[in-house]
Amino acid sequence: MTDRPDRAVLVERPGVHRLVERPRPSPGPGEVLVRVFAAGICLSDREVYEGRRAPGFVRYPVVPGHEWSGTVETVGAGVDRGLVGRPCVAEGFRCCGRCGRCRDGETSLCTAGYAETGFTEPGAFADRLVVPARLLHLLPERADLRAAALLEPAAVVAAAVRAGRPRPGERTAVVGAGTLGLLATQWLAASSPAALTVIDPRAARAERARDFGATRVLDPAAATAAHGEFDLVVETAGAPTTAASACLLARRGGRVVLTGMFAEGATGIDPVHLSLNQLELRSVFGASSAAWADAVRAFATGLLDPAPLVTHEFPLDRFAEALALVGGGDPRVGKVLLRP
């Protein structure tokens, strides 16, 4: 092990970042040091950089990076040394494990205060990061770590699938064909739906959903003819109108799961429509430990393969260039990775 300083992308304040050298982090008691293999960039990271993340959900200066994969390099006191060398991912929420929500298994709703890797705690846009060992999920020895960097959004999809309870033979719709939408499509296709429709205004992205198991793709205008058609609707876009439109797509007695992160001013959901149609409406905030375990199992068994979503990879010193691609509107851009 050399003494070369680690590098990290530090966002000092909105709009200001630099690649810094720092002493190699050391894991404390109950922690592990992970060598990062790849870290995904998502729109939340762009929000952090541009200063658009809600107050209380980011703490500057910060090293972003909440979607990542890597290998355990060293462990702190009280941690099994057998973890060294193991490929892994880890949950982002630093849940307390003691509050009522955590004890009920809803670790993403921990009431002890918000703390998350890459937002309030140092993240994975770095050579290495330190995480609590209790949050690790180990991967198979020969796991594709490039694809595994997408297990964080896959865990969010797992939470949505848990909430939506898909059943064979149902008519299912996914609203949005971004990373979450395509992962949801791949996962829902495994539940043997009678039909699986993906709705997105970007024709090229919508058509790509066919490669992930969609049987039909529609743009939002065409989707109005499908109102009331679906047993299960999984919304993944977080656009201003998609929560309301997802409810209109569901049949009477249907189920709607909202996974998109909505901003102030989004179109409200009609309570009259909800009550008259007896819809079951659930929302998802991040992923619980159980959802993470589901995602890792699905990945390890080959049910879920995020690899085709990756379209671009950049070194840490090209962070600005990589970030500019995310949310830039180019249909050729899928998931963008940083590779330390």
Side-chain angles (χ1 to χ4, degrees):
M1 187 178 293
T2 69
D3 293 327
R4 181 179 68 83
D6 267 28
R7 301 165 304 150
V9 175
L10 181 70
V11 177
E12 297 180 316
R13 59 185 184 276
V16 178
H17 81 280
R18 57 193 176 96
L19 185 65
V20 300
E21 289 190 345
R22 62 183 185 178
R24 180 167 299 168
S26 297
E31 296 179 330
V32 298
L33 178 68
V34 175
R35 177 67 188 245
V36 177
F37 181 87
I41 304 177
C42 84
L43 285 174
S44 295
D45 299 309
R46 188 158 180 169
E47 289 174 354
V48 167
Y49 187 73
E50 295 175 349
R52 295 185 290 109
R53 191 160 173 86
F57 289 88
V58 64
R59 184 163 57 235
Y60 300 99
V62 65
V63 176
H66 60 285
E67 304 176 5
W68 59 269
S69 64
T71 304
V72 177
E73 192 166 87
T74 60
V75 301
V79 179
D80 181 4
R81 289 197 54 79
L83 292 176
V84 174
R86 295 293 302 273
C88 65
V89 291
E91 299 169 35
F93 288 113
R94 306 292 182 93
C95 59
C96 72
R98 298 181 299 274
C99 70
R101 292 284 77 196
C102 284
R103 301 284 283 185
D104 284 342
E106 298 288 354
T107 52
S108 62
L109 303 179
C110 177
T111 60
Y114 172 75
E116 185 176 3
T117 300
F119 297 106
T120 64
E121 312 298 324
F125 292 171
D127 289 322
R128 294 170 178 82
L129 82 159
V130 172
V131 294
R134 62 188 173 84
L135 299 181
L136 283 184
H137 289 265
L138 300 179
L139 303 174
E141 290 296 338
R142 295 179 179 83
D144 179 358
L145 290 181
R146 178 174 172 272
L150 277 70
L151 280 173
E152 192 276 341
V156 175
V157 167
V161 171
R162 279 178 158 254
R165 308 184 313 280
R167 295 187 284 268
E170 290 190 319
R171 296 159 297 175
T172 304
V174 175
V175 178
T179 297
L180 286 178
L182 293 178
L183 288 173
T185 301
Q186 191 176 69
W187 200 311
L188 291 167
S191 67
S192 301
L196 178 52
T197 300
V198 173
I199 300 161
D200 196 292
R202 303 165 295 181
R205 293 306 295 260
E207 281 298 326
R208 191 164 185 223
R210 295 188 189 275
D211 297 332
F212 290 79
T215 58
R216 177 175 62 162
V217 297
L218 299 172
D219 63 31
T224 58
H227 282 179
E229 180 178 321
F230 300 100
D231 301 285
L232 171 63
V233 181
V234 177
E235 187 283 330
T236 68
T241 62
T242 51
S245 62
C247 293
L248 297 176
L249 290 164
R251 67 160 175 82
R252 299 194 77 191
R255 308 183 306 284
V256 179
V257 183
L258 307 178
T259 67
M261 295 299 290
F262 299 94
E264 292 289 338
T267 303
I269 296 171
D270 182 2
V272 175
H273 178 78
L274 286 184
S275 60
L276 292 180
N277 289 279
Q278 196 176 302
L279 298 184
E280 179 182 328
L281 179 63
R282 292 284 305 275
S283 62
V284 168
F285 178 69
S288 67
S289 297
W292 269 93
D294 284 352
V296 170
R297 276 194 298 268
F299 174 70
T301 59
L303 175 69
L304 196 68
D305 179 17
L309 291 171
V310 178
T311 59
H312 295 75
E313 301 177 48
F314 293 88
L316 290 177
D317 59 7
R318 294 174 64 188
F319 167 72
E321 183 180 348
L323 186 69
L325 288 177
V326 178
D330 187 338
R332 297 168 297 179
V333 177
K335 176 55 67 174
V336 178
L337 300 181
L338 288 182
R339 294 286 301 273

